[in-house]
Amino acid sequence: MGKFGKSVKIFVYGVLSQTVILLLGIIVPKLLIVNYGSEVNGLLSSVRQVFVYVTLLEAGIGGASVQALYEPISKSDYVRSSQILAATDRYYKRTGFLYAIAVVLLAIIYPIIIKSSISPIVVAWVIFFQGASGVINYFFQGKYTILMKVDGRSYITTNANTVVNVLSKVFQIILIMIGSNIVIIQFSYFIISITQMIYILWYTRRHYPWLDLQQEPDYKSLTQSKNVIIHQIAWMIFNNTDIIVLTYFCGLTSVSIYSLYSMIVSCVTNVLTVLVSSVEFALGQLFNSDRKKFDKLHETYETYFLATLFSLFTITYIMLPSFIRIYTNGIKDANYIDKYLPILFVFLNVLLYSRNSSMLIINIAGHFKQTQNQAIIESIINLSISLILVNIIGIYGVLIGTIIALLYRSNEIIIYANTKILNRKCSITYRRILINFAIMIVCILIIKIILPVINGYFTWGINAIWVSVLCITLFFAVDSLFDNSSFAIIKGVVKGKIIKKKEN
């Protein structure tokens, strides 16, 4: 299967996966809040964020391994690929052991330090079963997931994740409806996640017979891991500061409100992540084998990624307030309706993902050391401002802290990637971003005037459809008009595939 076919599969399966997870994911938090209260929903969100920090034990090996594998995989150098993965396997097993220790320590300490009316025993078991799946990942399937990502087969792990999510969500819904203990609900996810591990092991052994983890480990290929870990630490602080700060200063109810908005917005960001995954492996391999072709494809990718980003978040901003109002109807223990949170969440994510094409270049080129100071400064800005403002304006404070940090780092990333790696003016990227911002503002102003009052899910769905079609069409048309060369490449690829199908 060629790169185009793999990219299409990654994208299609990824979008289908996110759609299914979205539909089920919307149901579960509502059931948790209604049946167990906002505090329990906040607890589960808080615990998930804590374990994001625990993944730092991986020490950047995953990112370094991905970057190191692009060249040997693109050249079908299976011996060197096996040597890199053998080193990755050794590191991951060590990480799995440390991760297990961290799970036990967190299960003991976390119930003591959080402010909650939930039983400490319940909190401890929730933490234990949440962390157990991570231990399995490091010991058994982590290295194989990396291999499939670089080889353009991440759709396999996506499909496995979809099945696990569907089964776990169905079981969670059933258990909630019959009034099961929250510990039993968490345990059900752990049991189902074991099936994913079994499938990944079976698939790898069948489709990668050349893989030999007994080869001499190539530890030198992973020397950048110490630079990657700095980026990971900075990213963890930056990306997870909000919930941790809210947990300590504002309580689990505030975390539940934040998590609900974050969950809905993440449905959009997950689609963007799928889009990145669908082309990342191809761009990574091309960067190491055909730089001229890489430059052309990256231009096209940047144009249409930004069109997708801005169109999706324009739709989100327009439709989010009415969805929150319908979704939280009947919930009495917290006020989830807020006119400022949609603005802050959308602006934050537009800033974050508008730098994505530039960040992708840095990761593929392996410029981790050169950009680590920027990452550290970003996390310091975010944490400092969030800690100051959270005591003054609560949730708004942590979001504003993140936005200010993004204004600094997103510019640094765009400037560095364009001038130091692509050797071009960064005005090209800024021009594309400003064009899309202008389209976004026009769409919001016009659609807000003609959008009717929405009082139910059916009405919301009907309006979401026409708003989505209008926004996506407008963004792609205008971006294609301003970037004829990228449009020509897309048109050529589509024509080539149509002709090929007719010949077959």
Side-chain angles (χ1 to χ4, degrees):
M1 187 189 298
K3 289 185 176 67
F4 182 81
K6 287 181 177 179
S7 293
V8 170
K9 273 194 171 185
I10 292 169
F11 183 71
V12 171
Y13 286 130
V15 171
L16 288 174
S17 171
Q18 292 306 321
T19 303
V20 172
I21 292 169
L22 165 62
L23 294 174
L24 291 171
I26 287 174
I27 297 170
V28 173
K30 177 70 175 285
L31 288 173
L32 283 170
I33 294 168
V34 171
N35 290 275
Y36 299 93
S38 293
E39 197 173 17
V40 167
N41 186 53
L43 169 67
L44 294 176
S45 299
S46 179
V47 169
R48 282 192 291 269
Q49 293 304 109
V50 168
F51 274 105
V52 171
Y53 281 99
V54 179
T55 59
L56 290 174
L57 292 169
E58 186 232 20
I61 297 303
S65 182
V66 167
Q67 199 277 328
L69 280 169
Y70 279 131
E71 183 178 357
I73 290 293
S74 68
K75 296 177 180 178
S76 299
D77 186 347
Y78 297 140
V79 173
R80 184 154 177 256
S81 296
S82 292
Q83 290 171 340
I84 293 170
L85 285 165
T88 304
D89 180 45
R90 304 298 195 279
Y91 279 124
Y92 267 11
K93 284 179 178 174
R94 182 194 65 182
T95 300
F97 177 73
L98 295 174
Y99 197 98
I101 294 173
V103 169
V104 174
L105 290 175
L106 278 170
I108 296 169
I109 298 169
Y110 199 69
I112 299 171
I113 62 174
I114 66 164
K115 303 171 185 176
S116 174
S117 60
I118 302 169
S119 167
I121 299 297
V122 170
V123 176
W125 279 113
V126 166
I127 290 171
F128 180 80
F129 289 125
Q130 177 71 31
S133 57
V135 176
I136 289 174
N137 177 63
Y138 286 120
F139 270 108
F140 299 104
Q141 68 190 53
K143 52 191 172 290
Y144 302 131
T145 301
I146 289 170
L147 171 59
M148 283 186 258
K149 179 179 180 179
V150 176
D151 193 37
R153 293 177 185 265
S154 60
Y155 59 86
I156 299 299
T157 52
T158 296
N159 290 342
N161 283 330
T162 303
V163 173
V164 168
N165 271 283
V166 169
L167 289 175
S168 63
K169 290 291 189 295
V170 168
F171 272 94
Q172 284 175 1
I173 291 168
I174 293 170
L175 291 169
I176 291 170
M177 296 301 289
I178 64 175
S180 295
N181 187 285
I182 194 68
V183 175
I184 301 298
I185 295 171
Q186 194 73 6
F187 177 70
S188 67
Y189 172 75
F190 166 66
I191 293 298
I192 293 169
S193 66
I194 293 175
T195 61
Q196 180 182 13
M197 174 200 72
I198 295 169
Y199 174 73
I200 296 296
L201 291 175
W202 169 82
Y203 184 91
T204 305
R205 287 172 183 172
R206 181 177 178 183
H207 293 273
Y208 295 96
W210 53 263
L211 180 59
D212 180 13
L213 296 178
Q214 301 306 312
Q215 288 277 355
E216 184 69 24
D218 182 6
Y219 295 111
K220 289 183 179 179
S221 295
L222 305 180
T223 52
Q224 283 215 78
S225 62
K226 62 179 179 294
N227 303 117
V228 176
I229 189 60
I230 293 174
H231 279 271
Q232 287 185 340
I233 292 171
W235 172 250
M236 295 301 180
I237 294 171
F238 169 80
N239 196 45
N240 300 285
T241 290
D242 294 0
I243 284 184
I244 300 299
V245 171
L246 285 173
T247 299
Y248 186 79
F249 288 98
C250 299
L252 294 177
T253 300
S254 293
V255 172
S256 183
I257 295 170
Y258 180 98
S259 297
L260 180 59
Y261 279 88
S262 182
M263 178 201 72
I264 296 169
V265 171
S266 71
C267 298
V268 178
T269 60
N270 287 342
V271 172
L272 295 171
T273 302
V274 168
L275 180 58
V276 174
S277 299
S278 68
V279 298
E280 183 178 6
F281 82 97
L283 289 173
Q285 291 183 25
L286 277 174
F287 186 86
N288 290 280
S289 59
D290 190 341
R291 185 60 189 269
K292 188 176 287 188
K293 189 175 181 181
F294 166 84
D295 289 338
K296 288 182 180 179
L297 287 179
H298 175 260
E299 292 288 345
T300 305
Y301 166 74
E302 183 173 83
T303 295
Y304 289 104
F305 178 82
L306 288 171
T308 305
L309 160 67
F310 277 89
S311 62
L312 290 180
F313 276 110
T314 300
I315 298 163
T316 302
Y317 178 76
I318 294 168
M319 301 305 300
L320 181 58
S322 55
F323 181 83
I324 291 289
R325 188 174 61 254
I326 298 166
Y327 184 79
T328 59
N329 184 38
I331 296 174
K332 304 297 183 183
D333 66 342
N335 182 22
Y336 287 85
I337 300 170
D338 189 290
K339 64 179 180 179
Y340 298 114
L341 288 180
I343 300 172
L344 292 171
F345 269 100
V346 167
F347 187 50
L348 184 156
N349 281 279
V350 166
L351 281 175
L352 176 61
Y353 283 89
S354 62
R355 72 191 193 186
N356 181 272
S357 59
S358 299
M359 193 71 229
L360 184 63
I361 295 297
I362 292 171
N363 290 339
I364 289 172
H367 284 217
F368 302 114
K369 184 177 181 179
Q370 297 91 324
T371 56
Q372 65 188 27
N373 289 338
Q374 301 170 4
I376 294 169
I377 294 171
E378 178 185 43
S379 63
I380 291 172
I381 293 171
N382 185 21
L383 184 58
S384 301
I385 296 177
S386 295
L387 287 172
I388 293 169
L389 294 182
V390 71
N391 287 304
I392 304 170
I393 49 178
I395 292 178
Y396 304 145
V398 295
L399 288 167
I400 291 170
T402 304
I403 288 169
I404 292 172
L406 279 168
L407 287 170
Y408 158 74
R409 180 86 195 284
S410 294
N411 281 293
E412 288 289 338
I413 288 172
I414 291 169
I415 293 168
Y416 184 90
N418 280 279
T419 59
K420 302 296 184 181
I421 303 176
L422 295 177
N423 298 314
R424 70 177 192 184
K425 294 180 180 179
C426 56
S427 58
I428 297 171
T429 299
Y430 282 122
R431 175 175 169 270
R432 288 170 177 155
I433 291 172
L434 290 174
I435 288 170
N436 282 284
F437 256 123
I439 304 169
M440 184 180 196
I441 292 168
V442 171
C443 280
I444 290 171
L445 291 175
I446 293 173
I447 295 174
K448 280 282 190 179
I449 295 171
I450 61 177
L451 191 70
V453 176
I454 299 171
N455 294 315
Y457 285 114
F458 180 77
T459 310
W460 187 89
I462 295 297
N463 282 279
I465 290 171
W466 73 259
V467 169
S468 299
V469 172
L470 178 62
C471 289
I472 292 170
T473 302
L474 185 60
F475 273 95
F476 275 76
V478 174
D479 281 321
S480 296
L481 185 65
F482 277 94
D483 195 344
N484 291 321
S485 58
S486 291
F487 179 65
I489 290 174
I490 292 292
K491 190 165 65 174
V493 170
V494 173
K495 278 186 177 180
K497 294 300 173 184
I498 293 172
I499 293 169
K500 206 169 184 181
K501 280 188 177 180
K502 287 181 178 179
E503 290 175 350
N504 293 335

